[in-house]
Amino acid sequence: MQYDLFTSVPAFRLISLSSGSSGNCYYLGTSKYGILIDAGIGMRTLKKYLRDYGVAMETIIAVLVTHDHGDHIKSISGLGGKLNIPVYATETVHFGIERSKYLESSISASRRVIEKNMPFSIKDFQITAFDVPHDTIENVGYQIKIGEKTVVLITDVGRITPTIEEFAKTANHLIIEANYDEEMLLNGRYPQHLKQRITSGMGHLSNRLTGELLTSIYSNQLDEVWLCHLSQDNNHPELAYKTVEIALKEKGISVGKDIVLKTLSRGKPSGLREF
Ligand SMILES: [Zn+2]
Ligand SMILES: [Zn+2]
């Protein structure tokens, strides 16, 4: 773990404030500045969570948006509108946000357009967005570098692509979706069209496919993996963890020794990582 030598405080912190279809929001920050990735929880809850971790709202200098689904943009009007915090998204994702029923007031003054595969910087954060297939007009993952460390977030993943593998390989800390257990979804109460949507290659990622991705991209630079966006109906945290753990073990990668693995709880802060 890399600490500032003089103050012995962490150089930066990563927090999962909420994960899952009821709302997704991550915080990444240094002692001076912070950014949010997605803003899928209500403003009041978001403010409370940040306060609980001692993060002042005034230190938030950007919100990065993956895509326009409600569970990722619920408080985007509050952040981008009322608080005028810059909202970073691709042109297409901005278009999606603008026509979304979750947008309560205009965020045009805080609109910042980014391009996929074009690195950009905000203060100490070096950021690259990349394409992630999902059933919306556009969805991106984010690679964020602070100093020597790289955090990669990939959520709402229809299928694994070479681009996803390429970016996942760069991570020291990876947040990756493990949405559903294949058997639970198959035998569950969801209507057939919804089951098809989820498994279509434009929906979400199963525990099994997440395990396969991790075994194929693993190297000793990958320190920690957080499994995110677990389905309430078609998954259990223990099942997601076990499925991925077994997949890794089959390739000789030992959870706890070679890699730290965590599942993020739905709808409440759960992960905290200090670098
Ligand atoms: Zn989602
Ligand atoms: Zn989505």
Side-chain angles (χ1 to χ4, degrees):
M1 218 171 277
Q2 194 186 331
Y3 286 97
D4 184 314
L5 285 176
F6 300 102
T7 55
S8 68
V9 293
F12 64 96
R13 288 194 298 171
L14 173 67
I15 306 167
S16 164
L17 297 172
S18 183
S19 170
S21 53
S22 55
N24 298 275
C25 186
Y26 300 91
Y27 166 84
L28 185 57
T30 63
S31 56
K32 275 193 194 154
Y33 305 109
I35 58 176
L36 297 175
I37 311 163
D38 284 337
I41 50 177
M43 269 310 272
R44 200 174 304 168
T45 310
L46 174 56
K47 283 179 179 167
K48 183 196 175 302
Y49 288 166
L50 289 177
R51 221 173 26 241
D52 290 348
Y53 283 100
V55 176
M57 190 55 101
E58 300 73 56
T59 63
I60 305 290
I61 52 168
V63 186
L64 312 178
V65 182
T66 60
H67 66 295
D68 64 353
H69 283 161
D71 58 320
H72 298 259
I73 63 162
K74 200 183 278 170
S75 57
I76 212 72
S77 305
L79 294 165
K82 276 192 207 92
L83 297 178
N84 209 24
I85 297 170
V87 175
Y88 292 78
T90 64
E91 183 90 54
T92 310
V93 172
H94 270 302
F95 175 75
I97 294 170
E98 276 150 25
R99 59 173 201 174
S100 168
K101 64 178 182 187
Y102 293 95
L103 189 74
E104 287 155 13
S105 57
S106 171
I107 58 160
S108 55
S110 48
R111 191 180 192 271
R112 303 287 188 277
V113 176
I114 60 169
E115 275 181 51
K116 288 182 285 187
N117 305 309
M118 292 282 286
F120 63 101
S121 292
I122 310 170
K123 302 287 183 193
D124 301 329
F125 308 92
Q126 277 91 51
I127 303 162
T128 308
F130 56 92
D131 200 44
V132 175
H134 186 50
D135 56 357
T136 180
I137 50 173
E138 187 159 80
N139 181 36
V140 299
Y142 284 102
Q143 178 203 58
I144 305 168
K145 296 181 180 179
I146 307 181
E148 307 274 277
K149 294 290 176 188
T150 302
V151 174
V152 176
L153 173 116
I154 309 170
T155 190
D156 299 59
V157 190
R159 63 184 183 280
I160 301 299
T161 61
T163 301
I164 288 175
E165 287 183 329
E166 178 197 324
F167 278 92
K169 270 180 195 162
T170 68
N172 302 118
H173 189 112
L174 178 64
I175 307 173
I176 177 84
E177 173 172 61
N179 183 257
Y180 65 94
D181 173 74
E182 288 171 357
E183 236 166 89
M184 278 183 81
L185 179 70
L186 190 70
N187 301 317
R189 61 177 178 83
Y190 277 16
Q192 199 52 36
H193 73 270
L194 195 52
K195 291 181 181 179
Q196 264 160 13
R197 209 205 91 187
I198 292 168
T199 58
S200 67
M202 293 301 281
H204 292 278
L205 208 59
S206 71
N207 298 337
R208 182 180 64 84
L209 290 174
T210 305
E212 276 181 18
L213 168 72
L214 292 173
T215 56
S216 76
I217 60 105
Y218 177 81
S219 76
N220 58 11
Q221 80 169 53
L222 183 61
D223 296 331
E224 186 158 335
V225 174
W226 287 356
L227 303 177
C228 73
H229 215 299
L230 271 65
S231 165
Q232 184 168 29
D233 300 295
N234 304 308
N235 213 350
H236 289 300
E238 307 74 38
L239 189 54
Y241 186 98
K242 271 282 155 209
T243 307
V244 170
E245 186 187 30
I246 290 166
L248 288 166
K249 200 174 177 186
E250 279 168 5
K251 295 280 158 114
I253 306 157
S254 167
V255 169
K257 195 166 128 256
D258 301 317
I259 195 169
V260 175
L261 182 66
K262 277 184 188 160
T263 49
L264 300 181
S265 313
R266 291 168 47 81
K268 60 175 191 212
S270 53
L272 169 68
R273 177 76 198 279
E274 297 179 328
F275 292 85

